[in-house]
Amino acid sequence: MDGALNAVAEHEPHAWSTRWPLNSAFIFTFGALGGMLFGFDTGIISGASPLIESDFGLTVSQTGFITSSVLIGSCAGALSIGALSDRFGRKKLLIVSAILFLLGSGLCATATGFLMMVAARIILGLAVGAASALTPAYLAELAPKERRGSLSTLFQLMITFGILLAYASNLSFLGHNLLGVRDWRWMLGSALVPAALLLIGGLVLPESPRYLVNKGDIRNAFKVLTLIRKDVDQAQVQLELDEIREVAAQDTKGGVRELFRIARPALLAAVGIMLFQQLVGINSVIYFLPQVFIKGFGFPEANAIWVSVGIGVVNFVSTIIATLIMDRFPRKKLLIVGSIVMTVSLAVLAVMNFVGDVAVLAVPTMVLIAFYIIGFAVSWGPIAWVLIGEIFPLSVRGIGSSFGSAANWLGNFIVSQFFLMLLAAFGNNVGGPFAIFGAFSLLSIPFVLHFVPETKGKSLEEIEEDMTRR
Ligand code: BGC
């Protein structure tokens, strides 16, 4: 791996990107594309898994494993990518993850049985995990400080768009065996398109200027900064470069030991934020909502899928709003408002389902879930990913994002693994699991107040100084 990556590195990796007339909209959209594959590959399986189960004659636990194998791969992918990205750069590893996306999607679409499908989903997971650790740091390192919140939120916007595309793909391919190929193969194979786009993006995108400074390549760092700061003059670009160089010069070398030694407050904040982002139960809604309505309220399957699509739209539109407001309000305030909205909606939902007549509660439950999603989408959804790109010192940013991201996948795995069991334990009353998620939403408030730093409007170098002082 080292040799291959060095060979790419020696081939003047920045020449392309600095020679091409790229504009920043292109750079940030393509830079965030990993989010779309993240959303698509995690969202697609809800529709495809029952079809795969009947086609391959699988047991329920085998199907469950096909769903969760991507999460296991993601955890491993997130953990292994950080040290590599501190060493070889964000850009090259984005290219590696695009190749893994292509390979995983191709193998999923052509899988001939259970084992091949699990292997393909683990490869996809490696790619998703890698992209989830790389992209937030890459976007944060490219963005100007006044717009960093909004530009980094593009990652979450792409995730929600990917989820929506997955639901749309499930709906449009279901029951259509085009060209004699089974519907679920089309569903899983359609991920090849965004994966190819990510690969093209990865080839033409510039390397992160902060990574370049850290490697002592000041000439190319200046070129990239000039390319992405077209609206300011060269003197200001030089000023920004000087600030980056000054802080980078004081940095120690990277690595896990350094992460635990110099970046412990950042690590605690990142891991905590990521665990809470999952333990508030978001993916019980994103992955299992049709099942909730089928099991909890006796919905027919065809209608239940539409509930998901509706929630997917609410999630996406609310995230557009998040990109617009992200740089206007302090991140901590948004997180706390989000926690309050989620706690209140989940508490009302739980009480209502425990004391009310479940037969008439489907619509009010749906409305409360929509409020909960809005609360998540304007706060914890984007901000968790924005923060892990921001709060680590440059020398350990890659590896720090890795740990944060891996915590997210671990939390996701726990919720996805136990949600349906929990629902069954409460006799299919959604009030049970949602009361637990409500309790985590409430607990997230003191966590934010005590452990999360405010990063809005500060340069990454100012944040680094703040965090080191802590
Ligand atoms: C979370 C995902 C979730 C998505 C929903 C992301 O921030 O990390 O687990 O599925 O938001 O929009």
Side-chain angles (χ1 to χ4, degrees):
M1 180 101 171
D2 277 27
L5 286 172
N6 279 328
V8 185
E10 276 154 20
H11 194 67
E12 270 256 48
H14 326 296
W16 267 29
S17 25
T18 42
R19 217 180 290 142
W20 280 38
L22 298 178
N23 70 18
S24 18
F26 176 92
I27 295 175
F28 284 98
T29 310
F30 271 75
L33 214 57
M36 186 160 138
L37 284 148
F38 167 158
F40 190 92
D41 286 318
T42 50
I44 194 75
I45 201 71
S46 62
S49 61
L51 308 171
I52 301 171
E53 185 177 302
S54 66
D55 205 13
F56 287 166
L58 304 179
T59 62
V60 175
S61 60
Q62 281 177 317
T63 313
F65 195 62
I66 287 182
T67 307
S68 51
S69 51
V70 100
L71 304 180
I72 298 171
S74 303
C75 208
L79 268 185
S80 42
I81 207 75
L84 293 174
S85 95
D86 283 337
R87 178 140 175 227
F88 296 105
R90 325 297 188 215
K91 175 185 162 86
K92 268 168 257 124
L93 272 302
L94 269 179
I95 297 175
V96 172
S97 65
I99 294 171
L100 287 174
F101 270 122
L102 283 170
L103 186 67
S105 310
L107 288 173
C108 269
T110 52
T112 49
F114 172 69
L115 284 181
M116 183 169 169
M117 182 60 91
V118 168
R121 295 272 298 162
I122 289 180
I123 295 175
L124 261 190
L126 290 174
V128 173
S132 72
L134 287 169
T135 314
Y138 179 70
L139 294 176
E141 289 186 337
L142 285 181
K145 69 177 176 194
E146 310 75 35
R147 292 171 54 218
R148 197 179 56 240
S150 295
L151 290 170
S152 301
T153 298
L154 285 180
F155 179 59
Q156 175 71 8
L157 188 63
M158 286 287 187
I159 297 178
T160 57
F161 185 56
I163 294 173
L164 202 55
L165 272 188
Y167 293 160
S169 155
N170 279 343
L171 270 175
S172 43
F173 286 118
L174 184 70
H176 301 294
N177 297 336
L178 303 175
L179 306 171
V181 175
R182 279 297 312 262
D183 46 3
W184 63 262
R185 294 190 187 277
W186 285 102
M187 292 173 183
L188 299 182
S190 45
L192 285 166
V193 178
L197 287 179
L198 180 64
L199 181 61
I200 297 169
L203 290 170
V204 298
L205 287 173
E207 179 51 274
S208 148
R210 286 176 165 89
Y211 166 79
L212 291 170
V213 168
N214 203 30
K215 291 291 154 195
D217 188 353
I218 308 301
R219 194 172 59 95
N220 273 314
F222 184 76
K223 273 193 191 171
V224 175
L225 272 179
T226 313
L227 174 83
I228 54 180
R229 302 277 187 269
K230 290 217 175 82
D231 45 347
V232 301
D233 58 27
Q234 296 253 317
Q236 259 172 295
V237 170
Q238 188 60 50
L239 219 65
E240 186 174 352
L241 185 63
D242 290 344
E243 194 193 358
I244 299 174
R245 288 182 69 180
E246 203 179 300
V247 175
Q250 297 156 11
D251 267 1
T252 46
K253 72 176 188 19
V256 178
R257 203 168 328 132
E258 288 308 307
L259 178 68
F260 282 91
R261 205 174 61 81
I262 61 164
R264 226 176 302 140
L267 188 62
L268 178 68
V271 169
I273 278 260
M274 284 308 192
L275 286 176
F276 273 115
Q277 199 222 34
Q278 292 300 319
L279 295 177
V280 299
I282 186 65
N283 287 316
S284 63
V285 174
I286 300 292
Y287 303 164
F288 297 110
L289 201 60
Q291 311 239 30
V292 166
F293 277 85
I294 294 167
K295 293 199 166 121
F297 299 103
F299 266 42
E301 236 165 83
N303 295 358
I305 286 271
W306 283 103
V307 178
S308 271
V309 176
I311 289 297
V313 172
V314 172
N315 192 13
F316 177 62
V317 174
S318 315
T319 311
I320 296 181
I321 296 170
T323 59
L324 302 176
I325 62 171
M326 197 49 67
D327 286 312
R328 300 223 183 123
F329 300 98
R331 316 244 200 276
K332 287 178 75 163
K333 208 172 255 175
L334 283 177
L335 283 174
I336 289 169
V337 170
S339 298
I340 294 172
V341 173
M342 292 192 292
T343 309
V344 172
S345 351
L346 291 175
V348 176
L349 191 155
V351 172
M352 193 176 83
N353 274 278
F354 276 128
V355 299
D357 171 10
V358 173
V360 296
L361 288 179
V363 172
T365 299
M366 221 179 287
V367 173
L368 285 166
I369 289 180
F371 275 114
Y372 160 77
I373 289 284
I374 295 171
F376 178 87
V378 298
S379 61
W380 284 81
I383 295 177
W385 295 109
V386 172
L387 279 174
I388 67 158
E390 297 182 327
I391 58 178
F392 289 103
L394 176 59
S395 60
V396 291
R397 189 167 294 136
I399 196 158
S401 309
S402 261
F403 274 72
S405 174
N408 188 280
W409 292 107
L410 183 69
N412 191 339
F413 182 76
I414 296 171
V415 171
S416 314
Q417 212 57 25
F418 293 111
F419 174 67
L420 288 180
M421 285 184 220
L422 215 55
L423 188 61
F426 283 95
N428 285 333
N429 187 325
V430 291
F434 284 178
I436 297 175
F437 299 144
F440 278 113
S441 307
L442 188 62
L443 282 175
S444 68
I445 298 175
F447 179 81
V448 171
L449 289 173
H450 287 106
F451 295 107
V452 177
E454 182 53 61
T455 54
K456 175 186 165 283
K458 297 180 184 163
S459 70
L460 293 181
E461 288 63 36
E462 283 161 349
I463 300 171
E464 176 162 348
E465 279 165 6
D466 273 7
M467 294 305 281
T468 317
R469 232 174 288 129
R470 280 186 177 218

